[in-house]
Amino acid sequence: MEFRPCIDIHNGKVKQIVGSSLKDTGNKAQENFVSDQDAAFFAEFYKKDGLKGGHVILLNSAGSEYYGETKKQAMSALRAYPGGLQVGGGICAENANEFLAAGASHVIVTSYVFSGGNINFDHLQKLVKVTGKERLVLDLSCRRGTDGAYYIVTDRWQKFTEESITHKLLERLSEYADEFLIHAVDVEGKASGIEAPLAQLLGSWGNIPVTYAGGIGSFADLEKLKREGKGRLNVTIGSALDLFGGTMEYQKVLDYMKGAYSHE
């Protein structure tokens, strides 16, 4: 279990939002925190502690009036910590190289691969030709359907696909990707506890690295994720972290990951 930091950028600002509130129309989102610092500041902060594998997420669509400023922030973070951060949000085969050349260790992709509601293998294979398996992270962020299954969502978590997360799907997609990033969107930004069934599903697989995000609000939640995920899941903490106005101390989170801090 490793801590993977995050830099979420919306309307040109580093923010923490409630994931399920994100809307392209009007560039709206329910905000938990808006930073006075820019993305490069956080990149340098994570670099100082040697944290790798964190993700920079562009939360505006390419058609948004804010996309240019959001992209500028993302690029500045990648340049500040070359090789230390992954980047996602609107990535496709045509622009992946631009982000890799700017310093991203990996690109993170959802909508391009799941266009039309299913896996688009033409797009996936085209993407891998550009990035290689070793520099591609597939974002399988999901929401729970009425049948209890977790369905991958695209377009900044607004559209349900027909693909549900199963061991069979993970196995199939792991042939193309170095890692998976999975936000539990229904609890993302709410610090209200993890999606335990999802953590169990992911933890019982574990063939390539998986980063879980969503709902972490306390060290008790971290313990639960570690238990339900069998210690196999890496973790991102957003709104609950004191860097973003929350109550969980950043340094204690790092100490916890090293086994040097117990919440008990």
Side-chain angles (χ1 to χ4, degrees):
M1 191 180 197
E2 297 177 1
F3 176 62
R4 300 292 184 89
C6 63
I7 304 173
D8 294 344
I9 309 168
H10 183 245
N11 294 357
K13 299 281 189 181
V14 175
K15 294 182 182 180
Q16 285 295 311
I17 67 166
V18 176
S20 58
S21 74
L22 189 60
K23 298 285 185 291
D24 282 343
T25 305
N27 301 291
K28 293 179 180 177
Q30 183 181 331
E31 297 171 347
N32 288 331
F33 178 85
V34 181
S35 178
D36 292 330
Q37 303 290 348
D38 63 10
F41 168 87
F42 287 97
E44 289 163 359
F45 188 86
Y46 300 144
K47 181 181 180 181
K48 163 184 65 72
D49 288 320
L51 296 174
K52 293 207 169 204
H55 51 271
V56 180
I57 303 295
L58 292 77
L59 291 173
N60 291 104
S61 69
S64 165
E65 63 196 279
Y66 294 101
Y67 179 77
E69 188 56 36
T70 290
K71 182 180 177 182
K72 182 180 176 182
Q73 286 286 326
M75 289 299 199
S76 71
L78 299 178
R79 287 191 291 268
Y81 190 7
L85 296 165
Q86 305 168 358
V87 64
I91 308 288
C92 61
E94 288 70 30
N95 66 9
N97 239 354
E98 180 184 3
F99 289 95
L100 293 172
S105 66
H106 298 68
V107 291
I108 305 167
V109 182
T110 311
S111 300
Y112 179 73
V113 168
F114 294 94
S115 59
N118 296 103
I119 304 170
N120 186 323
F121 281 101
D122 286 343
H123 279 187
L124 183 54
Q125 289 162 3
K126 190 176 179 183
L127 185 64
V128 172
K129 283 181 181 177
V130 175
T131 65
K133 177 183 188 293
E134 68 279 0
R135 301 191 77 181
L136 178 61
V137 175
L138 287 178
D139 184 339
L140 308 182
S141 295
C142 56
R143 304 179 76 168
R144 203 165 190 173
T146 55
D147 59 358
Y150 288 93
Y151 288 88
I152 295 168
V153 289
T154 65
D155 299 276
R156 290 151 306 284
W157 307 328
Q158 296 171 54
K159 294 181 182 177
F160 275 82
T161 70
E162 296 176 20
E163 303 286 353
S164 63
I165 295 182
T166 62
H167 285 185
K168 183 178 178 182
L169 181 80
L170 295 174
E171 201 63 44
R172 193 177 188 191
L173 292 176
S174 68
E175 297 174 16
Y176 299 90
D178 195 43
E179 299 185 14
F180 294 135
L181 170 63
I182 302 180
H183 292 82
V185 176
D186 289 327
V187 295
E188 171 69 16
K190 296 181 179 178
S192 57
I194 68 165
E195 287 269 19
L198 178 60
Q200 291 166 2
L201 172 63
L202 299 173
S204 60
W205 183 69
N207 291 357
I208 65 172
V210 177
T211 297
Y212 170 93
I216 300 286
S218 66
F219 284 94
D221 290 332
L222 267 186
E223 285 281 348
K224 187 173 184 180
L225 180 66
K226 185 176 182 180
R227 182 175 66 251
E228 302 292 354
K230 303 186 187 307
R232 293 173 173 165
L233 304 180
N234 299 322
V235 62
T236 288
I237 304 170
S239 299
L241 206 62
D242 61 354
L243 298 182
F244 303 118
T247 59
M248 294 180 72
E249 293 180 38
Y250 168 78
Q251 189 57 52
K252 285 185 177 179
V253 170
L254 299 191
D255 292 342
Y256 175 90
M257 294 298 166
K258 297 172 187 172
Y261 172 81
S262 172
H263 76 290
E264 312 244 296

